Amino acid sequence: MPNEGSFEAALRRSNEIQADLAVHPENYTMLTGDRPTGRLHMGHYFGTLVERVRLQNLGIKTNVIIADYQVITDRDTTEHIADNVYNMVIDYLACGLDPAKTMIFTHSAVPALNQLMLPFLSLVSESELKRNPTVKAEQEASGHALTGLLLTYPVHQACDILFCKGNIVPVGRDQLPHIEQTRNIARRFNERYGKVFPTVDGLLTSTPLIPGLDGRKMSKSYGNAVSLSMTAEETAKLIKKSKTDSERNITFDPDNRPEVSALLTTASICSGRDPEELANEIGMGGGGELKRVVTEAVNGYFEPIRERRRELEQDMDYIKDILHEGNARANEIANQTLNEVREAMGMVY
Ligand code: TRP
């Protein structure tokens, strides 16, 4: 976590950019992405997908990477990877990403992006790599040995951002160290070899973190996440299984009643209604009524997205075409940037 001062600075910069986005969309290129380790869930949706669609529709250049090489930073297998990648494209489109406006692509299909890793690695020190707090946390959570790829993945993310000259990256506060790393790499490259890369800023998202159904962080591995790809029945079942507490009267009290309050927050986000008001209405209806309200709100909100998802699933050729087109376009951009890098470095023979 960067210190308070640098957080304040990043927040100020982020607010300035937010205000300028609609005025000068042509000045911005966004890059963000996801690891294809499973299906996207409500946390992804409200935490970032809505924001991506908003930026796309403002006319900003929007790029979304399906980070397949990041899957093996802390796993020993690429099982189900193709299935996960295609389903991620389906999730994106169902949520409103428009392939005519947003470039969707994968790491592994864009060699020139990956090649940026070599000059970029020469611009960072071992101690910088080792002190990245996210890397440490991920390694501990995975229970896996620290691989060279996990250690260096923030540099790889710099390649993701910089190959397309991205200058804004929507992030949560915990991701700011990655942005800092990318800024350093771009600055050092430009100082050493001449200006090729832009200055990158994090676009801090203002959406409150949506809790998992049990009040913990929403994560597929905790079984507390509603995926976009679930059916209404599966959603109802998952919500029904979630824990409440022994007090019948439903109140919104995140500190003392995390599970009940997480369910109220979920219903609130999906229905646009105040969580306290929902709690008052449910009152002595208890956990059963609470779960009914949450299920109705979630299924109601996601029904059109799921409907679109089901349609897209029927046309896998179309989904593959979208990815092939995105990959082809990403290759053009990456080759162009790599040529600029070679020129700046005097490596044109
Ligand atoms: N690490 C991100 C995730 O796990 C995905 C990602 C890959 C990314 N490259 C990126 C995000 C570059 C922002 C910028 O979801």
Side-chain angles (χ1 to χ4, degrees), residues 31-35 65 67 70 153 157 160-161 169:
L31 181 291
T32 186
D34 303 281
R35 292 178 196 201
I65 186 161
Q70 274 189 16
Y153 99 82
Q157 284 203 172
D160 300 342
I161 297 166
V169 182

Side-chain angles (χ1 to χ4, degrees), residues 270-320:
C270 291
S271 63
R273 299 191 52 204
D274 184 65
E276 312 226 356
E277 204 180 289
L278 289 170
N280 285 340
E281 274 174 27
I282 299 163
M284 291 306 285
E289 175 63 7
L290 171 62
K291 288 176 180 178
R292 194 194 61 75
V293 168
V294 176
T295 303
E296 197 180 282
V298 172
N299 282 339
Y301 187 95
F302 286 103
E303 179 43 32
I305 290 173
R306 286 169 166 169
E307 173 65 34
R308 174 119 179 83
R309 224 192 164 282
R310 286 191 292 271
E311 282 166 20
L312 290 162
E313 263 173 356
Q314 300 309 309
D315 196 354
M316 289 310 285
D317 287 343
Y318 171 69
I319 297 301
K320 289 176 188 176

Side-chain angles (χ1 to χ4, degrees), residues 8-143:
E8 292 307 324
L11 183 60
R12 212 176 320 116
R13 198 59 206 119
S14 171
N15 288 337
E16 280 168 17
I17 293 171
Q18 283 287 8
D20 190 47
L21 289 174
V23 191
H24 298 112
E26 69 284 1
N27 290 348
Y28 297 97
T29 300
M30 180 213 77
L31 181 291
T32 186
D34 303 281
R35 292 178 196 201
T37 52
R39 302 293 170 270
L40 294 176
H41 55 60
M42 274 177 72
H44 298 115
Y45 180 82
F46 289 110
T48 152
L49 291 164
V50 172
E51 176 72 354
R52 293 177 195 177
V53 172
R54 186 182 75 91
L55 294 174
Q56 162 193 277
N57 293 339
L58 281 175
I60 287 154
K61 286 184 232 55
T62 40
N63 305 294
V64 177
I65 186 161
I66 301 179
D68 54 355
Y69 275 141
Q70 274 189 16
V71 171
I72 50 171
T73 51
D74 60 0
R75 286 170 199 238
D76 292 330
T77 172
T78 53
E79 211 184 355
H80 308 307
I81 190 108
D83 190 43
N84 287 345
V85 166
Y86 293 139
N87 272 284
M88 196 154 266
V89 177
I90 295 175
D91 278 337
Y92 290 158
L93 301 190
C95 291
L97 284 180
D98 173 355
K101 297 179 179 151
T102 295
M103 182 169 84
I104 300 170
F105 62 105
T106 57
H107 273 142
S108 61
V110 190
L113 179 163
N114 296 297
Q115 192 171 329
L116 291 176
M117 189 76 169
L118 291 173
F120 285 4
L121 277 172
S122 76
L123 299 166
V124 297
S125 68
E126 180 193 5
S127 62
E128 276 176 312
L129 291 173
K130 286 188 172 157
R131 64 170 183 259
N132 185 305
T134 319
V135 168
K136 272 189 222 155
E138 282 180 44
Q139 191 245 318
E140 278 160 23
S142 74

Side-chain angles (χ1 to χ4, degrees), residues 238-253:
L238 189 71
I239 293 171
K240 197 162 192 177
K241 264 199 342 218
S242 62
K243 247 178 61 191
T244 49
D245 54 36
S246 53
E247 202 179 313
R248 183 163 184 93
N249 189 28
I250 297 302
T251 53
F252 184 64
D253 182 357

